[in-house]
Amino acid sequence: MSMNIFRLAGDMSHVFSIIVLLLRLRVVKNAAGKNLTDVALLIFQKLDFEILPRFITSR
Amino acid sequence: MKSSTGISVRTHELYLLVFVTRYLDLFTTFYSFYNSFMKVLYIFTTSLVIYTIKVKEPIASTYDKAQDSFLHWKFGVAPCFIVALITYLFQAGFSINIMDLLWTFSIYLESIAILPQLIVLQRYREVENLTGNYVFFMGAYRFLYILNWIYRSYNEPYYQHHFVVYFCGVLQTLLYVDFFYYYIKSKARGGKFTLPTSR
């Protein structure tokens, strides 16, 4: 099984979609200004640039 | 306010069935940590979505069962299973591998899994920002997979074409075309994201 940018982008898109949905269901809009999309983006960035690079093996 | 208005749980029930039937190879084959991790992640997060909408308060009481009306077992699961069984038997003959059959079924089922959610969006007409985004990324994922298959077919030496997968991937993406059109239009325009109703 090989990895390429399209596969990775597709998987990330899928995961991001579910994260956005879960946020939409569980999180209350923060009156202090940060809206839900910003929170979602922050979490996505952390996942994509800090956590996942440690785990992905390329063949 | 935590609520589930505009969200279809039936779509996610279909997705859970897709992943559970597709990832049975979690028990038989190890490809890579990434591969196993993603499979478990999809199953876990989809279950979490279903649990959140159906069980967890305060969201569960806001779930609008009347709007989420697509009879997904009768018109989704059953036809897909029959089509999968027919096409699988056609190409497999008498050597039936249950895991392969279920995998084929999962491919067909995924192509229509978003239908209940699209139907709910049509009923509400006005689509919330995050709901629209989540549906957009769901659609984008399979489209990106089509590009992935094209890339692999040119670059991978022993790449096997799966025409059922291509057909279903294209069908799945086509279901989103209508949605994509209004989504992009509303992003370009700004303001509220509304879908035209057919009534």
Side-chain angles (χ1 to χ4, degrees):
Chain A
M1 199 148 289
S2 68
M3 182 52 68
N4 58 69
I5 186 68
F6 301 112
R7 169 93 195 270
L8 187 60
D11 286 344
M12 290 305 103
S13 189
H14 197 169
V15 172
F16 189 54
S17 152
I18 298 183
I19 291 173
V20 168
L21 177 59
L22 282 168
L23 270 168
R24 157 69 185 78
L25 290 170
R26 285 167 164 255
V27 173
V28 179
K29 187 170 176 139
N30 187 335
K34 222 182 222 123
N35 69 27
L36 299 171
T37 326
D38 291 328
V39 173
L41 272 166
L42 279 170
I43 293 176
F44 174 59
Q45 280 166 0
K46 189 168 180 73
L47 188 71
D48 203 34
F49 297 117
E50 289 173 48
I51 299 173
L52 282 175
R54 295 182 205 279
F55 293 116
I56 294 173
T57 59
S58 39
R59 297 191 147 228
Chain B
M1 187 183 66
K2 295 188 202 194
S3 81
S4 62
T5 49
I7 308 290
S8 159
V9 80
R10 290 177 194 248
T11 278
H12 298 282
E13 289 174 351
L14 290 180
Y15 263 106
L16 184 61
L17 191 56
V18 166
F19 296 139
V20 163
T21 49
R22 189 178 296 176
Y23 297 146
L24 291 170
D25 65 352
L26 269 173
F27 299 112
T28 62
T29 322
F30 180 78
Y31 296 99
S32 69
F33 182 86
Y34 175 80
N35 188 282
S36 304
F37 176 77
M38 293 303 275
K39 286 172 177 169
V40 171
L41 185 69
Y42 289 155
I43 293 174
F44 174 72
T45 52
T46 309
S47 308
L48 187 59
V49 166
I50 296 170
Y51 167 79
T52 304
I53 295 174
K54 292 185 96 159
V55 176
K56 188 146 170 58
E57 292 298 348
I59 298 123
S61 1
T62 65
Y63 169 57
D64 192 342
K65 204 162 178 201
Q67 291 289 359
D68 190 11
S69 64
F70 182 72
L71 297 170
H72 59 321
W73 294 104
K74 220 197 301 188
F75 296 117
V77 176
C80 283
F81 189 76
I82 292 167
V83 173
L85 191 61
I86 294 170
T87 56
Y88 180 75
L89 287 175
F90 224 66
Q91 53 113 96
F94 286 112
S95 57
I96 298 173
N97 177 327
I98 296 291
M99 270 180 56
D100 279 348
L101 172 61
L102 289 175
W103 184 90
T104 308
F105 164 69
S106 82
I107 297 294
Y108 282 114
L109 188 61
E110 189 185 359
S111 66
I112 54 119
I114 197 68
L115 266 180
Q117 177 64 69
L118 292 175
I119 287 170
V120 169
L121 288 183
Q122 270 234 312
R123 296 250 172 92
Y124 275 92
R125 218 185 150 240
E126 192 177 302
V127 182
E128 280 186 17
N129 199 31
L130 279 185
T131 307
N133 288 336
Y134 121 71
V135 174
F136 174 78
F137 283 106
M138 268 310 211
Y141 129 71
R142 210 59 178 166
F143 171 71
L144 287 163
Y145 259 59
I146 293 174
L147 299 181
N148 155 57
W149 299 325
I150 296 171
Y151 177 88
R152 285 178 70 186
S153 73
Y154 283 111
N155 291 292
E156 209 168 291
Y158 297 105
Y159 180 70
Q160 282 183 317
H161 291 281
H162 288 286
F163 292 105
V164 169
V165 176
Y166 296 164
F167 174 76
C168 291
V170 170
L171 174 66
Q172 187 169 337
T173 309
L174 281 177
L175 283 179
Y176 282 90
V177 161
D178 194 55
F179 172 86
F180 282 151
Y181 172 73
Y182 290 108
Y183 177 86
I184 291 168
K185 218 170 124 176
S186 96
K187 287 284 181 198
R189 198 193 331 125
K192 291 194 176 136
F193 177 17
T194 55
L195 291 171
T197 50
S198 47
R199 282 149 234 283

